[in-house]
Amino acid sequence: MTEPRNLSAPEILFLKLETSGLYRKDISIDDSAQPWCPEIAAALCNRSGLITNHFAHMVKSDGRTIKENAEKVHGISARASSQVGIPEPRVLGALSDMLKTAPLDSHIKVVTFGDMDRMVVASLFARFALASGKKSDAYDRLWLNRPLIEFIDLQKPYAQQLCKLPSEFEGGLGDFKWPSLDEAGSIILGQPAHEGLRDAWSDLVTMKALYFRFAEMGLFEQDVAA
C-alpha cells in the first residue's frame, strides 16, 4: 500500500514579492503612494519541507505605475500586468486563506529575504481594508499582530553573517554587508549567479533552500537558546 504524503500541519510560509518600488517609511502604511506588487509568490509548507499550498500570481496594475528602476529588475510593466494579471483582492484573498490554513492558536513562521516584503504586504492589507470600508488595521490580526506569528528575515543576520561580505561603509566600518539573494545563493548554496530578470517564484525556491540549510545548521535553535 502506498504511504500517504506527510501532510502534517503547515507552519512555514515563504513569501517573495516583485514590487513597483521601495517601501517608504516617511509616509503612513496605508498611503496610496506605498508600492504595490506586480507579482506575488507564496508557499506554505511543513517542517519536513513539503509544500502543501503555493501560488505565483501576476497582479493587475489597475491604473498604478511601476518605477523605472523596479521594472528593470523584474521586467513587468504596468501595461503588461494590466493585461495578464489577476485582481489584487483575489491574490490577497489567496494569501489570507493560506494564513488561515494554520489555526490561529498555532505557531507559524513567515520567511522573507529582507524586511521590506513584510511591510509591503502589511501595506497592501491596510489599503485593501480602507477600500472595503474598514479600518486600515482590520487585517493586522492575520499578519502583523497574528498570535504566535514569527517573521524570519533570512538576509540579516543569517546570510549576512555567513557570507561575510565586506562592509559598504568607507574604511570597512560597521557590520558585514547585507548580501543580495543571489550572493547568498552563490556563497551558501553554491548556486550559479542569476542572469536576466527576477521572478518571484524562482527567488522563493532559493529562499526555501536557504531556510532549510540554516535549519540544518541549527541557526534558528541558537536564537531560541539565546
Side-chain angles (χ1 to χ4, degrees):
M1 182 177 178
T2 304
E3 291 187 8
R5 281 192 287 173
N6 177 7
L7 294 178
S8 56
E11 57 183 54
I12 308 165
L13 176 70
F14 294 97
L15 179 73
K16 186 67 180 74
L17 315 177
E18 299 298 345
T19 66
S20 64
L22 298 176
Y23 181 79
R24 295 179 56 181
K25 296 182 179 180
D26 61 320
I27 57 178
S28 66
I29 195 170
D30 56 11
D31 196 297
S32 61
Q34 292 288 9
W36 62 282
C37 299
E39 186 179 24
I40 300 178
L44 194 64
C45 75
N46 53 33
R47 66 177 60 188
S48 70
L50 180 72
I51 293 177
T52 55
N53 282 295
H54 68 278
F55 69 76
H57 291 312
M58 295 283 186
V59 179
K60 280 188 177 296
S61 57
D62 286 331
R64 296 172 293 189
T65 60
I66 297 174
K67 292 187 179 298
E68 182 179 354
N69 287 343
E71 186 174 332
K72 287 180 179 178
V73 172
H74 50 64
I76 306 171
S77 68
R79 180 178 181 181
S81 69
S82 70
Q83 295 172 335
V84 303
I86 64 176
E88 184 177 271
R90 295 185 184 177
V91 181
L92 291 178
L95 180 58
S96 64
D97 283 343
M98 277 191 175
L99 291 165
K100 294 172 186 175
T101 300
L104 289 177
D105 60 353
S106 65
H107 187 269
I108 186 168
K109 298 176 181 178
V110 177
V111 180
T112 61
F113 195 87
D115 189 53
M116 189 178 86
D117 285 2
R118 175 179 72 97
M119 294 309 301
V120 171
V121 167
S123 177
L124 293 177
F125 275 130
R127 284 176 280 172
F128 176 68
L130 289 179
S132 304
K134 302 176 182 178
K135 292 183 178 180
S136 63
D137 62 356
Y139 294 100
D140 282 2
R141 67 186 187 279
L142 279 177
W143 192 244
L144 291 179
N145 298 329
R146 177 194 169 103
L148 302 178
I149 196 169
E150 178 186 2
F151 291 97
I152 296 179
D153 177 358
L154 297 177
Q155 184 185 45
K156 50 191 185 295
Y158 306 108
Q160 178 189 24
Q161 295 301 320
L162 289 174
C163 291
K164 299 186 184 302
L165 297 173
S167 170
E168 295 178 303
F169 293 103
E170 185 176 353
L173 299 176
D175 292 333
F176 295 118
K177 171 192 168 186
W178 295 351
S180 67
L181 185 58
D182 267 353
E183 289 170 331
S186 176
I187 295 170
I188 299 170
L189 301 175
Q191 293 183 172
H194 178 90
E195 296 183 3
L197 300 170
R198 314 298 311 186
D199 80 88
W201 181 255
S202 295
D203 285 349
L204 185 147
V205 171
T206 298
M207 288 167 50
K208 181 173 180 282
L210 284 171
Y211 174 86
F212 282 102
R213 176 66 59 84
F214 295 167
E216 289 174 1
M217 297 170 68
L219 300 185
F220 305 128
E221 285 76 7
Q222 291 175 19
D223 284 349
V224 172

